[in-house]
Amino acid sequence: MSIVTTTVTINAAFLEEIKEDDRRLRHLLTEARAAFAQRRYRRGWLIRTVALLCDLRDQLALHFTLEESFGYFDEPVGAAPWLSERADTLRAQHPDLFIQMCEIVEAAERSLEPHVRRPRLDQIADRFDEFLAALEQHESDETDLIFQAYNDDIGVGD
Ligand SMILES: [Fe+2]
């Protein structure tokens, strides 16, 4: 008689790839948060901030692509189907988050046009704060999911 056990492993390639992506994403988020905290709205600030937001949008696209390409786990998830369901729910948040970021970039680019008034820039800053809160919640939920997988005695793959 054999005993069949099902093991779910976290994808090691995924973990390796996301290290550099994560470092870069964290850096850009910190820079963008600092830029909007200044709220100086001089043209030089605006040009630098738009470029920064474009970099952040592109890095976010890479970040989501890595997560979606590699997946969070090697072999989802016979032993714990709820992990797969939660992973699907989190992945489904990516398009909305990315659209939010694209809309912020487009609004910031439009604000480079002459005679844009300060309230519009304040609106963009507020939208960016909302986006940051949503992204941070998403990332926190992903971290919780992976920790939960470890707590369920799930290993890391080679
Ligand atoms: Fe994600």
Side-chain angles (χ1 to χ4, degrees):
M1 177 178 154
S2 64
I3 298 172
V4 177
T5 58
T6 305
T7 302
V8 180
T9 55
I10 293 174
N11 188 326
F14 164 70
L15 289 176
E16 190 59 36
E17 285 290 327
I18 66 169
K19 267 191 240 168
E20 180 57 32
D21 157 64
D22 196 59
R23 187 164 31 243
R24 176 96 177 123
L25 183 64
R26 294 289 138 211
H27 173 73
L28 290 168
L29 286 168
T30 300
E31 293 279 300
R33 186 182 285 112
F36 276 114
Q38 295 175 16
R39 299 201 180 199
R40 286 183 180 159
Y41 303 148
R42 297 194 183 103
R43 187 158 183 82
W45 171 89
L46 188 55
I47 290 169
R48 286 192 301 277
T49 300
V50 168
L52 179 59
L53 292 172
C54 287
D55 288 346
L56 179 54
R57 174 201 56 202
D58 295 345
Q59 192 66 40
L60 196 66
L62 175 62
H63 178 73
F64 289 158
T65 298
L66 285 172
E67 288 181 341
E68 291 166 14
S69 301
F70 287 108
Y72 304 111
F73 307 111
D74 258 346
E75 296 291 338
V77 183
W82 65 270
L83 287 175
S84 182
E85 290 168 15
R86 281 196 62 194
D88 289 345
T89 299
L90 289 167
R91 268 195 295 269
Q93 294 173 358
H94 290 170
D96 281 347
L97 289 165
F98 189 66
I99 287 168
Q100 280 184 54
M101 187 68 234
C102 289
E103 288 174 349
I104 290 165
V105 169
E106 287 166 16
E109 286 175 333
R110 280 197 303 275
S111 73
L112 284 170
E113 296 163 9
H115 312 303
V116 171
R117 290 177 295 118
R118 183 187 171 101
R120 188 152 138 195
L121 291 166
D122 277 333
Q123 280 181 359
I124 296 169
D126 289 343
R127 285 176 68 182
F128 186 71
D129 285 344
E130 290 171 16
F131 163 78
L132 274 182
L135 181 65
E136 284 171 0
Q137 183 64 56
H138 171 83
E139 297 286 305
S140 172
D141 289 346
E142 285 179 336
T143 302
D144 287 348
L145 175 66
I146 291 170
F147 279 134
Q148 190 68 56
Y150 274 111
N151 287 339
D152 286 356
D153 198 27
I154 292 168
V156 178
D158 294 328

